[in-house]
Amino acid sequence: MSFEYTVTYKAENNYEHAVDKAAWQFLIVPETNDTQKLIEVDFENSLNAKFEYSTNGLGFQTIRVSPLQSFQNINFKGSFKLTKESLNPFEHIPVFNIAENYKEIKSLDFKADFEPYLRKTPYTLLPKEVENIFKFDASESIFENLQQLNHWVYLYINFKTGVTNVDTKLEEVLKNKEGVCQDFAHLFCALARANGIPARYVSGYLHQGIGYFGDSQMHAWAECFIPEAGWIGFDPTNNLLVNDNHIKVAHGKDYNDCSPLKGVVYAIGKNETVHSVEVQSQQ
């Protein structure tokens, strides 16, 4: 069985004074992978400025826009159609050789192969006093430990919008125990890496029709590499494994690699940007 999704992404930018020069890069196009296939892409802006598609350093499609005229307001709209295969993540979980798996993740070859996703970053840096706040139980498989970590992060942070922003670091999240999906994903990645497991920050869209937590923008979750199983997706915001309601756009070490919108705007005065996302499903 497969599902067809339509995703609509909008960004509205308003500036106090006229802008003479600007450049943006959008990372909002769903990728094609083993479980999802991008069918159609439509992108437009209110200035009819020319844009181009390109590929970033991690291999994900971006859209670049650089208006040639002065402006004070500009709106963007991206529409994407894709199909997703029905996915039961537990169907692909093998019976693990627990001792061999822990031996493998401690090997130098493994650490070298996955170094980027074992690395501490500004967003996944744990304060020293809480580095051991979640320790794996070596008598259980890595997958079982990650499931427990998923549940632990879900309980530790209270999902609440407006209390953190894209610059919030883990020290503040751990102190206040409140945040959004970005904070859940960063904490999950940090604690998985602290236990020797490669973890990727993932940005994408979430079909929220069945009551999942998310927000009006893009969703975030994590992927971990488990010996014998490969990369498995975990959504600590909703305490579940990634399934056919998750539409992946990109992955990286943290939010900085996956920011949906980066730009340089030469302007003075105040500005405001409002994002919105709508995901519709047709089976």
Side-chain angles (χ1 to χ4, degrees):
M1 184 190 304
S2 63
F3 301 88
E4 183 173 308
Y5 284 104
T6 300
V7 180
T8 304
Y9 171 97
K10 294 180 180 178
E12 302 177 7
N13 300 270
N14 298 296
Y15 300 89
E16 185 177 6
H17 301 289
V19 177
D20 294 323
K21 189 176 181 181
W24 292 277
Q25 175 180 284
F26 290 86
L27 186 54
I28 57 174
V29 182
E31 72 163 4
T32 290
N33 56 38
D34 291 341
T35 64
Q36 67 183 43
K37 181 179 180 181
L38 183 63
I39 299 173
E40 186 176 314
V41 177
D42 185 30
F43 185 81
E44 59 187 58
N45 63 82
S46 58
L47 297 180
N48 291 319
K50 288 186 178 179
F51 59 89
E52 62 179 9
Y53 296 98
S54 62
T55 303
N56 70 10
L58 292 171
F60 298 103
Q61 189 174 43
T62 65
I63 303 172
R64 297 177 182 271
V65 188
S66 299
L68 298 178
Q69 69 269 47
S70 177
F71 62 89
Q72 210 164 336
N73 314 94
I74 183 169
N75 299 332
F76 302 98
K77 179 181 178 182
S79 299
F80 315 107
K81 289 185 178 180
L82 69 148
T83 57
K84 280 210 64 116
E85 298 299 319
S86 178
L87 174 64
N88 178 356
F90 289 97
E91 289 181 354
H92 305 287
I93 303 301
V95 176
F96 295 100
N97 185 326
I98 296 176
E100 283 299 319
N101 289 167
Y102 282 110
K103 182 179 178 181
E104 181 175 347
I105 67 168
K106 293 177 181 176
S107 71
L108 288 178
D109 285 346
F110 184 88
K111 292 178 180 178
D113 288 344
F114 295 100
E115 187 278 333
Y117 300 110
L118 289 167
R119 187 187 310 169
K120 296 175 182 177
T121 71
Y123 282 105
T124 59
L125 182 64
L126 291 165
K128 284 194 175 298
E129 60 270 23
V130 297
E131 282 182 338
N132 296 318
I133 197 171
F134 186 93
K135 294 293 291 181
F136 278 20
D137 180 350
S139 68
E140 296 185 340
S141 73
I142 292 171
F143 175 69
E144 290 171 320
N145 275 289
L146 288 169
Q147 277 193 291
Q148 291 166 19
L149 174 59
N150 208 36
H151 186 63
W152 186 92
V153 174
Y154 169 76
L155 294 178
Y156 191 86
I157 303 176
N158 177 39
F159 182 85
K160 188 174 182 180
T161 60
V163 295
T164 59
N165 56 53
V166 296
D167 297 318
T168 301
K169 303 300 189 297
L170 279 184
E171 184 175 7
E172 183 178 338
V173 175
L174 287 161
K175 177 182 177 183
N176 298 323
K177 299 182 180 179
E178 294 178 332
V180 295
C181 51
Q182 173 184 320
D183 308 305
F184 283 75
H186 280 148
L187 182 56
F188 180 93
C189 287
L191 291 171
R193 293 174 191 175
N195 284 278
I197 308 303
R200 306 192 294 210
Y201 179 99
V202 181
S203 69
Y205 304 104
L206 177 66
H207 181 228
Q208 295 178 259
I210 56 176
Y212 292 152
F213 288 108
D215 53 41
S216 59
Q217 302 177 34
M218 296 182 76
H219 192 51
W221 59 92
E223 292 176 342
C224 288
F225 187 88
I226 305 173
E228 297 187 79
W231 290 101
I232 301 293
F234 295 85
D235 181 352
T237 308
N238 293 291
N239 189 29
L240 47 75
L241 294 186
V242 167
N243 57 38
D244 40 46
N245 289 289
H246 295 74
I247 300 166
K248 181 175 176 179
V249 169
H251 67 244
K253 297 182 292 298
D254 59 23
Y255 174 82
N256 193 49
D257 285 342
C258 303
S259 173
L261 175 58
K262 292 182 178 180
V264 178
V265 178
Y266 297 89
I268 59 174
K270 298 178 181 178
N271 67 82
E272 182 183 30
T273 299
V274 178
H275 302 270
S276 67
V277 168
E278 183 179 10
V279 181
Q280 294 182 320
S281 171
Q282 302 86 38
Q283 187 172 338

